[in-house]
Amino acid sequence: MTENKKIATWKAWTLFVVVLAVVFGLGLFAASMLERRAEVVSVFNNKKVDIAPGEAHNDVFEANYPREFKTWTETAETGFRSEYNGSEAVDVLDARPNMVILWAGYAFAWDYTTPRGHMHAVYDITRSLRTGSPGVEGGLTPQPSTCWTCKSPDVPRLMQEMGLKEYYAGQWGNPAWAAEVVNPIGCSDCHDAQTMDLRISRPALREAFERQGKNIEDASLQEMRTLVCAQCHVEYYFRNNEAEDKINYLTFPWDNGITVEAIEEYYDSYTAETGKEGKPYYDYIHALSKTPILKAQHPGYETSQMGIHGQRGVSCADCHMPYISEGGVKYSDHHIQSPLANIDRTCQVCHRESEETLRENVYDRQRKNDEIRTRLEAELAAAHIEAKTAWDNGATEGEMKEVLSEIRKGQWRWDFAVASHGASFHAPQEIARILAGGLDHAHLARLALAKVLFKHGVENVKIPVFGGKEEAQKFIEPSIAAKVGTIGQMEKNKSRFMNEVRPEWIKAAKASGKLTMEGLE
């Protein structure tokens, strides 16, 4: 009986200690929450400046939100590097010259570098050969003004001032207002300047939701922590049909869903929208194979939703903008970058493995998909070159129909899988499936080509191995020079633009007060 009493007493004390610990923990949590709520109230009650709606000057926000502003300025840093990507601009074409062949006839074959942080957005799009050289005699015709859409908080202001369709109908280097797009991606792109609530500042996302019968206003705060990123990190195209006077209207092709097949179906059935019989949408006609190519942009949102993190409600901000706690203050780190740069504040919030294990898990997924990617790029490049040989030897459109269909399907899957950079981690199984499907289509294209080539007396096509982008660009140059000029001419014109025209844009922006923050030139 005495032994039973001792056991009962021991259990009682154990229960008491556990309950005490729980109550103490809840008390600390409640105190922390109250302290952080008090901090939020303090921030809003002690604002140093009033900020106008849609304020494009990022430096105006510093007085009220110094911590967030400081971390945002760190997006200018370019020192982080992982096994496959980083924050420094790397010439992808030189590392993967087969991509020059895949994009022959399109601006990406001239210039494609890995993206840097948000503070570089305006400068990098201006510097790129892809945007052309406005204001320079003999310069490449600039892209549409729609290309500016995601690069600056100045854009929503211009959309309101000019009208949405008028904005989309413009030219990228329009001297009447190009000097006003000078502030890089920042505060007003994602926040209501007066309440700091997350907001949708670009209409294309809202319109895509509406076409699917969804109301974006019903999104929760956690969903908004992804949707503000989905305004830009998505697949899109410039709707450009006769009914709307060819205005390059920014559109997300999500009407059938966000999978690679659903978006492909949307583009393939585009004739219902254009009214042009038998001509599905394409971004360009390939200069070698004559394939109507779909160029994927950067479907980061789509691929992230296909992976386990997206399926379980993890937001973009959870991993790319982890919280920082300083005393009683908790705020989001606006140094938006790879989660691998802060594993202790990103992955290890949920996972208990070591940094080394978690990092290696990421690399393992990326390596396996990269292996398939490299094989697919080689097969597609060979298919384009063999297709050109077939055309040169008298192949007919009827004979090449199956070939072009398979190349289009294979390249669309390749581009969709690799264009968003982080897809091999966001959804590794889905990306492996997509790349494998692309490889299958590339093989079918080459099989069909072998039959066409044999019919026209071609027994073997030598596929060159390129040592870098210059060799690959020289290979495609005869096929594109008549249309856009040589690579050397493009580089010369862009250099003149950057040294002569762009300084005038910056000078005008400073004089008008549109640019107030130094160091972003």
Side-chain angles (χ1 to χ4, degrees), residues 396-423:
T396 66
E397 290 188 9
E399 291 170 338
M400 295 293 285
K401 183 177 180 180
E402 179 186 355
V403 170
L404 302 190
S405 175
E406 295 297 343
I407 292 177
R408 173 181 166 97
K409 289 177 179 294
Q411 185 149 329
W412 165 242
R413 282 156 179 77
W414 162 77
D415 216 341
F416 190 93
V418 306
S420 66
H421 304 289

Side-chain angles (χ1 to χ4, degrees), residues 270-298:
Y270 189 76
T271 50
E273 188 170 344
T274 62
K276 296 179 180 179
E277 187 66 28
K279 291 187 180 294
Y281 176 82
Y282 58 86
D283 286 282
Y284 66 103
I285 298 295
H286 197 276
L288 304 181
S289 67
K290 300 183 182 180
T291 304
I293 294 290
L294 293 172
K295 171 69 189 76
Q297 305 308 323
H298 28 64

Side-chain angles (χ1 to χ4, degrees), residues 171-199:
Q171 194 179 67
W172 179 81
N174 185 337
W177 56 266
E180 296 189 19
V181 185
V182 288
N183 296 285
I185 300 167
C187 309
S188 286
D189 286 309
C190 303
H191 292 280
D192 181 297
Q194 294 179 304
T195 66
M196 295 310 288
D197 289 340
L198 294 174
R199 69 161 186 152

Side-chain angles (χ1 to χ4, degrees), residues 195-259:
T195 66
M196 295 310 288
D197 289 340
L198 294 174
R199 69 161 186 152
I200 304 302
S201 57
R202 273 44 171 202
L205 179 63
R206 191 179 301 276
E207 293 163 354
F209 267 56
E210 290 173 354
R211 293 197 307 276
Q212 296 177 84
K214 302 176 183 177
N215 184 1
I216 205 166
E217 301 300 332
D218 294 335
S220 66
L221 174 60
Q222 180 68 356
E223 290 170 332
M224 285 295 290
R225 283 162 55 82
T226 288
L227 291 177
V228 290
C229 305
Q231 297 181 95
C232 297
H233 293 267
V234 291
E235 163 62 9
Y236 63 85
Y237 75 107
F238 298 167
R239 195 170 72 237
N240 189 352
N241 58 34
E242 300 292 343
E244 294 186 351
D245 301 319
K246 298 183 178 181
I247 64 171
N248 294 298
Y249 199 102
L250 183 65
T251 306
F252 298 172
W254 295 350
D255 295 29
N256 302 325
I258 63 173
T259 65

